[in-house]
Amino acid sequence: MATLTTGLPGLGRDDRFFLMLAIAMALTVVAGFSLQLAMGRSSFASPVHVHLHALLFFGWVTLYVAQNVLVTRGTLALHRRLGWIGAAWAAAMVGVGIYTTANMVRNGTAPFFFEPAYFLVMNSLSVLCFAGLTAAAIILRRRTDWHRRLHVCGMAMLTGPAFGRLLPMPLLIPHAGSAVFAALMLWPAIGIAADLRRRGRVHPAWWWGIGAMFATQAAMTLIAHNPLGLAIYDAVTAGTPGARVAPLDFPPPPAGPLITGR
């Protein structure tokens, strides 16, 4: 995901920095989901599409780290071949991610610290933002400086569910979504700080990536809380248990184990 281009100043340091950032994001994802499993809040007794969702999203995290490792080792031919596999992989993630979210609201099992309509829009727009930033990074793959920074922003959007499992979400109602967004903005903030320290200026790719992320976050609230969002919710949940759940009310906490998420 971070193609090497010769002639860029400080490229070796950039390689190491982006690898370390990729590993930190991967460890955050592993920590979030491992914590829920250890606390009995997640279960392997889930439908097939949930396991497919986990395989695709964890697979992407693994691929993202591996691609950065290949760049640091100069294994660019394999890096480029895996990049095209990653493009198809990301497209599959969009479909499965939205389908899994839709099934949760259909079953009336959206996390209780999110309004169901907001959860539906939030997860769907998050994966679409990831896809858009990833597509932009692929289009700009020959411009390494843009390519790798846009990939970081896209990957940051995928750490939302992990932060949703690490933060005390029930205590953050009704601002749980904003808290998760603030947490995932840590990654581009680290990138900006590194640019300022090493280059004395912020690369414009960060501003474009962050702009897309903020626009997505704003759209979540605007869509979920207007007639369009309610119409989407009604269409998705028609004829299912979710249709009996008030779309803009926080559901009561479940009595049994919790499955949290973003």
Side-chain angles (χ1 to χ4, degrees), residues 117-118 120-126 128-129 157 181 211-226 228-229 232 262:
Y118 180 80
L120 174 63
V121 174
M122 174 186 67
N123 268 15
S124 300
L125 289 185
S126 291
L128 287 172
C129 181
M157 293 300 293
F181 180 71
M213 296 166 77
F214 268 98
T216 300
Q217 183 69 17
M220 291 173 188
T221 299
L222 292 175
I223 293 174
H225 294 89
N226 70 27
L228 174 60
I232 293 172
R262 183 177 198 270

Side-chain angles (χ1 to χ4, degrees), residues 38-122:
M39 297 180 69
R41 294 177 177 175
S42 296
S43 171
F44 287 105
S46 300
V48 172
H49 69 83
V50 175
H51 292 292
L52 178 59
H53 176 276
L55 174 65
L56 286 172
F57 280 73
F58 272 109
W60 174 269
V61 172
T62 302
L63 180 61
Y64 181 71
V65 174
Q67 286 287 69
N68 279 277
V69 170
L70 291 175
V71 169
T72 62
R73 295 183 176 181
T75 315
L76 302 184
L78 178 58
H79 170 86
R80 295 184 183 107
R81 287 196 294 270
L82 286 179
W84 291 114
I85 294 174
W89 197 282
M93 290 166 64
V94 173
V96 173
I98 293 176
Y99 178 81
T100 301
T101 299
N103 268 278
M104 289 183 70
V105 297
R106 287 188 187 117
N107 295 330
T109 56
F112 69 90
F113 33 80
F114 294 124
E115 301 150 308
Y118 180 80
F119 178 76
L120 174 63
V121 174
M122 174 186 67

Side-chain angles (χ1 to χ4, degrees), residues 1 15 25 69 79 82-83 106 120 154 164-165 167 206 212 243 257:
M1 282 86 180
D15 291 346
M25 288 191 280
V69 170
H79 170 86
L82 286 179
R106 287 188 187 117
L120 174 63
R165 289 161 169 79
L167 296 173
W206 292 123

